[in-house]
Amino acid sequence: MAEAAVPQDAAPPKKSKKPLLIALVVAVLGGGGAFYATFSGMVGGSGETAKMGADDGHGGGAGAMASVAFVPVTPVVISLGEASSSRHLRMSAQLEVGPAYSVEVTHLMPRILDILNGYLRAVEVAELQNPAALVRIRAQLLRRIQIVTGEGRVRDLLITEFVLN
């Protein structure tokens, strides 16, 4: 008749917080390691991608100047027609290329000028007068030039003059 009295209000034994702390430390270290691996180019891209941050020609490392060449594009003057208040469009540009490709791109300059003339003549005068349209026009011209010259030869199109007279 003597039963052991088990209290009803007894709290269960506390669980250890040690596994939670270990999981938290492992998660932080894993996240930091993943960030470093991605940022340094070991994962998600070649080492070339990581180097672009330092040597992309935008104020980067010492090799930035050696990895860029500029090919001048002959200035283009296009008549816009009688319906517009402006009679001519004058555009000057430079092509940013790798130094190994500057001779090849210069050799293809007549084709590049043909692309520029053809596209700019097709653009509406009202769109040429819109200042925000220059970004879209530049992107369209760059893509067409890259198709003509071959992938990887022309990095960028730098418009140095865009004047409606």
Side-chain angles (χ1 to χ4, degrees), residues 40-148:
S40 67
M42 294 186 328
V43 175
S46 64
E48 211 172 289
T49 306
K51 291 177 189 175
M52 285 179 67
D55 292 341
D56 63 351
H58 299 287
M65 294 302 214
S67 66
V68 176
F70 293 98
V71 176
V73 177
T74 306
V76 176
V77 178
I78 297 172
S79 60
L80 299 174
E82 297 177 19
S84 67
S85 61
S86 301
R87 297 195 182 262
H88 293 90
L89 165 67
R90 178 177 168 85
M91 187 188 99
S92 299
Q94 300 267 334
L95 299 174
E96 181 180 331
V97 300
Y101 301 121
S102 64
V103 174
E104 292 176 26
V105 172
T106 303
H107 181 71
L108 291 171
M109 194 55 65
R111 288 185 183 264
I112 293 170
L113 290 172
D114 181 56
I115 294 294
L116 293 175
N117 278 312
Y119 180 77
L120 291 173
R121 286 187 186 277
V123 176
E124 297 284 330
V125 175
E127 190 170 346
L128 290 173
Q129 293 172 339
N130 182 0
L134 185 60
V135 174
R136 189 184 67 75
I137 292 169
R138 182 179 158 273
Q140 291 288 332
L141 289 173
L142 176 61
R143 183 64 194 136
R144 286 167 168 76
I145 291 169
Q146 287 173 336
I147 290 170
V148 167

